[in-house]
């Protein structure tokens, strides 16, 4: 019976570690997506500013 407890404990620890890894990967992907979106917006704003001041 003690082996069942150890197995369940191992499953719980594995689930916690897997959730932590998922959160880290999700954060990295989300941060990259937001940074690319911000850079694209800044580039578009710079282009619009150049067009507005060139006229």
């Amino acid at each position: 019976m003690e082996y069942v407890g150890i197995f369940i404990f191992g499953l719980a620890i594995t689930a916690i570690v897997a959730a932590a890894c998922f959160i880290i990967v999700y954060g990295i992907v989300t941060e990259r997506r937001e940074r690319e979106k911000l850079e694209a917006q800044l580039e578009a704003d710079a282009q619009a500013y150049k067009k507005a001041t060139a006229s």
Side-chain angles (χ1 to χ4, degrees):
M1 196 65 184
E2 70 183 67
Y3 294 118
V4 174
I6 293 171
F7 178 73
I8 292 172
F9 179 75
L11 285 178
I13 296 301
T14 302
I16 291 169
V17 170
C21 290
F22 172 77
I23 290 170
I24 290 169
V25 170
Y26 179 76
I28 290 170
V29 170
T30 303
E31 190 273 335
R32 179 182 293 170
R33 186 179 305 137
E34 291 295 323
R35 184 169 22 95
E36 289 173 353
K37 192 186 311 182
L38 177 62
E39 288 173 355
Q41 183 62 42
L42 290 174
E43 182 65 29
D45 290 346
Q47 293 295 329
Y49 180 75
K50 285 180 184 177
K51 284 183 180 180
T53 56
S55 299

